[in-house]
Amino acid sequence: MKNVDIRKRELAIITLFVLGCIVDHITTYYGLKLPSIIESNPLVIELINAGIWNLFELAIIITGAGSAFVILLDSSKELVLLSMAALGSVGIIRMYAGLLNIILISNIIS
């Protein structure tokens, strides 16, 4: 097995991705329990109706983080940079969505 040197930068990006997904999911989950908040994403609505939304989110997190570690194992520098940029972007977007959810929830419950 190849010795992998994962730098702090890559680990931070993977952590941002995972935390962004978790924050967005938990705040959405909590917000949907409030009667005045509705989900506007049709895919999420379908996943909730099918009863697989939580499982789907878990699969996204495992697939995203897992693929990042696989790419770090044996890939070109360009592929690593591209994948980290994509993962970091998703993490930032999901963290921002979670922050907006927190603001919405706090405005409703206060």
Side-chain angles (χ1 to χ4, degrees), residues 1-51:
M1 185 167 174
K2 187 177 180 179
N3 187 12
V4 180
D5 179 31
I6 299 176
R7 294 182 302 234
K8 289 181 183 178
R9 182 182 68 196
E10 282 91 7
L11 193 55
I13 291 170
I14 294 167
T15 302
L16 172 65
F17 168 76
V18 171
L19 289 178
C21 290
I22 291 170
V23 168
D24 181 25
H25 185 78
I26 289 173
T27 56
T28 301
Y29 184 84
Y30 178 78
L32 290 175
K33 295 196 175 293
L34 301 173
S36 57
I37 294 180
I38 59 167
E39 178 59 54
S40 60
N41 184 332
L43 175 60
V44 172
I45 293 169
E46 287 298 319
L47 292 170
I48 291 170
N49 290 339

